[in-house]
Amino acid sequence: MGKRVSSDEMQNIFEILQKSYDVYGPKIYQGTGCFSDTDVVRYGLLNSWEEIVWNQKSDYSFKEVLLPISETILYFTENEMKTADGAARQRLIFLKSCDFHALKRLDDMYLKNGVEDYYYRRMRENTVFAVMGCKESGKNCFCVSMGTNRCEEYDMYIFQDENGCYMELKCRELEELLWDYGQNVQEKPIFVENNEVHVEVPEKLPNIIHQDSMWQEYGSRCIGCGRCNFVCPTCTCFTMQDIFYKDNPKAGERRRVWLPAR
Ligand code: SF4
Ligand code: SF4
């Protein structure tokens, strides 16, 4: 069971959420596109409910909210080291079902691939996710072939149509915050069930597939610009940089920085 909420009420709900969370989602950055006078859609801190972009795919990944492109992880002097503080406030991120599946891949890499990543764990425990139901398939989307068109383990589900919004809450904290809003209804989450693009996924890929001539050729053309890391929500490649301060070269900070594919 979920709730029906009017569009006006949604702005009130958004303001309630803002009191407890920094709220992020896809929004338009005017005039910052690749070409002059073009816009870009990317994830950022939202100031109002209307700011969320529903009908367009984000040009950049939600990942940059979770894992900053450059993140200071510790400060050091000659003798001491101090772990950098985490984000001061909890975060709520609005994202699509396909992105929510990408999050599982990030979890696998950072939390289930040997020793847990302390910084990722800290950030993950401080973040809740609101899945935005897609009304229709986006251009070039192929989530149905990949089975990423629907999901269940979200903290909040939200679908916007001409009658307002349908909302489902699974996280106790969100339930307590928003309990008094909207009308209880017997609706179900809506997910895209068809894409124009279909992808045949092989039953089994050999382990040496990365040696295939297609990838060799692709790799030979790579100029290390890093764009693939920026757009791919599942990429976990990073490098470390030690920065020494100019006024005291024996002190500095260590940063984790996204790494271009090479
Ligand atoms: S239609 Fe599928 S791939 Fe496209 S944005 Fe929605 S969930 Fe993602
Ligand atoms: S870094 Fe990524 S996007 Fe840039 S050239 Fe290499 S493969 Fe292409």
Side-chain angles (χ1 to χ4, degrees):
M1 188 178 71
K3 285 167 179 281
R4 264 279 154 196
V5 187
S6 71
S7 301
D8 290 344
E9 216 173 358
M10 231 20 249
Q11 179 56 31
N12 293 339
I13 287 179
F14 183 84
E15 285 164 20
I16 301 282
L17 290 172
Q18 274 184 313
K19 287 183 186 157
S20 299
Y21 302 94
D22 282 343
V23 185
Y24 290 88
K27 65 182 207 177
I28 291 181
Y29 286 81
Q30 279 184 341
T32 60
C34 293
F35 306 101
S36 72
D37 295 332
T38 58
D39 301 335
V40 80
V41 179
R42 68 188 301 174
Y43 280 77
L45 194 63
L46 298 169
N47 298 307
S48 72
W49 173 247
E50 282 79 35
E51 249 187 335
I52 299 184
V53 174
W54 284 83
N55 54 2
Q56 221 179 313
K57 277 195 290 190
S58 176
D59 296 294
Y60 293 87
S61 154
F62 76 96
K63 186 179 69 178
E64 63 182 303
V65 178
L66 293 184
L67 300 160
I69 295 160
S70 173
E71 178 184 18
T72 299
I73 58 172
L74 59 89
Y75 300 92
F76 58 82
T77 62
E78 232 173 329
N79 307 312
E80 292 178 323
M81 182 274 285
K82 181 192 176 298
T83 308
D85 293 336
R89 300 191 77 215
Q90 290 195 89
R91 281 177 283 200
L92 185 148
I93 304 177
F94 285 93
L95 75 183
K96 302 285 178 70
S97 172
C98 50
D99 290 326
F100 191 64
H101 279 269
L103 178 72
K104 291 183 193 164
R105 303 293 168 271
L106 296 179
D107 286 353
D108 284 346
M109 286 302 285
Y110 284 109
L111 303 178
K112 300 175 192 162
N113 184 29
V115 179
E116 269 194 5
D117 185 289
Y118 166 80
Y119 302 94
Y120 184 85
R121 164 65 70 196
R122 180 172 73 175
M123 170 280 307
R124 197 65 175 78
E125 285 172 352
N126 216 16
T127 310
V128 293
F129 296 90
V131 168
M132 306 156 65
C134 292
K135 210 169 186 178
E136 52 195 31
S137 176
K139 192 180 166 203
N140 299 329
C141 288
F142 53 93
C143 52
V144 177
S145 303
M146 306 306 292
T148 54
N149 54 320
R150 47 174 57 244
C151 56
E152 290 181 353
E153 290 153 14
Y154 43 78
D155 298 298
M156 176 177 180
Y157 168 87
I158 189 97
F159 180 81
Q160 185 167 254
D161 59 18
E162 48 292 343
N163 301 317
C165 288
Y166 172 70
M167 178 172 82
E168 253 188 44
L169 304 168
K170 291 197 177 177
C171 152
R172 174 177 279 196
E173 197 179 327
L174 287 172
E175 258 185 353
E176 284 171 6
L177 270 181
L178 306 179
W179 187 253
D180 294 334
Y181 291 87
Q183 304 289 321
N184 289 343
V185 287
Q186 295 289 347
E187 293 183 33
K188 291 202 165 143
I190 292 173
F191 295 107
V192 155
E193 297 297 349
N194 284 301
N195 305 129
E196 269 182 35
V197 177
H198 302 278
V199 175
E200 293 283 337
V201 184
E203 288 274 314
K204 203 169 176 204
L205 277 177
N207 286 339
I208 53 161
I209 190 67
H210 62 280
Q211 292 174 11
D212 188 272
S213 58
M214 181 196 82
W215 292 115
Q216 301 296 326
E217 201 269 335
Y218 192 78
S220 70
R221 286 188 285 131
C222 173
I223 55 167
C225 69
R227 190 164 188 254
C228 48
N229 195 337
F230 274 68
V231 295
C232 175
T234 65
C235 181
T236 51
C237 299
F238 61 81
T239 186
M240 290 293 181
Q241 288 177 348
D242 283 347
I243 310 292
F244 297 89
Y245 299 142
K246 274 190 184 153
D247 51 356
N248 178 6
K250 291 185 176 167
E253 60 193 66
R254 175 163 291 183
R255 294 178 187 166
R256 170 149 83 181
V257 182
W258 290 10
L259 180 73
R262 277 232 103 155

